[in-house]
Amino acid sequence: MNILIANDDGVFAPGIQALAEALKPLGRVVVVAPESERSGYSSALTLDRPLRPIQIAPDIWSVNGTPADCVYLSMNGMFDFEFDLVVSGINSGANLGDDVLYSGTVGAAFEGRLMKHPAIAVSLAGPNVRTYEHPADYAQAAQWVHDFIRSGLPQVPPRHILNINIPDVEQIQGVQLTYQGRRLQSKPITSHVDPRGRQVYWIGLAGEAVTDPKKSQQNLQSDFFAIANGCISITPIQMDATNYEVLTTLARQFHAN
Ligand SMILES: [Mg+2]
């Protein structure tokens, strides 16, 4: 199996290194990742300049582009062989609920949406800021991803991917299949004056999670719920964002006028 690994934290991030190491027993593992952090780049492609991949070690490439660029190049002619699977991550920090819209980790996985196996976005859910003395445990999460792939990947329809969040806890409590939860409005932007007297703003933190009582009644749990309970969350997500129920209602209104 040829496995392509990308991320949005950059080629030197500890999460991607742990993931590449853990997946090596499964086949040829090729890392193609941004030269520096590109979190929040979603599925952005670079169209206004050329991209120049640099091989920094055997099967490890650094690209002056976005997470999606890395997968796009890798699957469209940068290599003379084909990949069987795309795994993106392991991201530093969760990608839950509305985060999916902005996440470069998820964006890179979506670029692999037309492959035989479902592309996987993997994030480590825990405090974003880690120190040298208190590193995040990417190895445990990476080992779980290895076991998950080796046990046989599930079938999902075309253009669907798996968004997986793994809690950064000592003892993982289990695995839950979840729906994509929702966040409240983001925290306010912070405003500052730069050293040259200009007004600048900094985009702040994401909003809190909200639960959907209707889904709870149907016994469905959100990705937030799984993580809050120390469980791994697996959410199937899709490219097609059309709401067919609303489409039908709109069509009825449109034709009535
Ligand atoms: Mg990131």
Side-chain angles (χ1 to χ4, degrees), residues 8-9 37 39 91-92 105:
D8 73 359
D9 293 335
E37 186 179 347
S39 291
N91 188 59
S92 161
T105 307

Side-chain angles (χ1 to χ4, degrees), residues 23-245:
L23 299 192
K24 271 179 190 163
L26 300 174
R28 181 172 180 185
V29 172
V30 180
V31 171
V32 184
E35 61 188 359
S36 59
E37 186 179 347
R38 295 287 184 271
S39 291
Y41 271 64
S42 187
S43 292
L45 292 177
T46 302
L47 303 175
D48 60 345
R49 59 185 171 83
L51 297 167
R52 189 161 62 95
I54 298 172
Q55 189 171 12
I56 55 176
D59 282 340
I60 302 184
W61 295 80
S62 162
V63 179
N64 58 337
T66 66
D69 286 333
C70 293
V71 180
Y72 192 101
L73 295 184
S74 302
M75 296 184 54
N76 290 285
M78 184 174 146
F79 298 100
D80 60 2
F81 59 89
E82 294 201 348
F83 288 99
D84 303 297
L85 174 67
V86 174
V87 187
S88 176
I90 297 172
N91 188 59
S92 161
N95 277 304
L96 301 165
D98 298 34
D99 302 344
V100 162
L101 182 63
Y102 306 103
S103 166
T105 307
V106 172
F110 262 130
E111 214 45 57
R113 66 191 174 275
L114 294 176
M115 301 181 78
K116 184 175 59 179
H117 297 296
I120 306 171
V122 190
S123 304
L124 190 64
N128 273 311
V129 182
R130 289 293 191 165
T131 60
Y132 181 74
E133 287 79 14
H134 303 284
D137 190 359
Y138 290 104
Q140 173 175 261
Q143 186 56 41
W144 184 86
V145 177
H146 164 274
D147 297 348
F148 177 67
I149 296 169
R150 202 185 59 172
S151 68
L153 284 166
Q155 292 285 325
V156 298
R159 295 167 186 273
H160 284 61
I161 67 163
L162 299 175
N163 183 34
I164 300 182
N165 282 272
I166 301 177
D168 188 15
V169 292
E170 219 161 276
Q171 194 66 48
I172 291 170
Q173 298 301 310
V175 181
Q176 290 189 349
L177 296 169
T178 57
Y179 69 89
Q180 183 190 331
R182 288 182 197 167
R183 286 189 185 277
L184 293 170
Q185 182 71 35
S186 310
K187 307 284 181 206
I189 53 175
T190 54
S191 81
H192 306 268
V193 176
D194 82 2
R196 287 163 191 83
R198 296 168 300 197
Q199 186 69 47
V200 294
Y201 300 95
W202 203 324
I203 289 178
L205 298 172
E208 311 287 351
V210 276
T211 46
D212 183 340
K214 260 193 232 157
K215 292 205 174 82
S216 306
Q217 281 163 14
Q218 298 168 309
N219 264 335
L220 295 170
Q221 303 300 353
S222 72
D223 44 10
F224 287 106
F225 183 87
I227 291 300
N229 287 283
C231 292
I232 292 171
S233 163
I234 305 179
T235 313
I237 55 176
Q238 60 186 329
M239 195 71 209
D240 184 352
T242 312
N243 183 321
Y244 288 92
E245 219 173 286

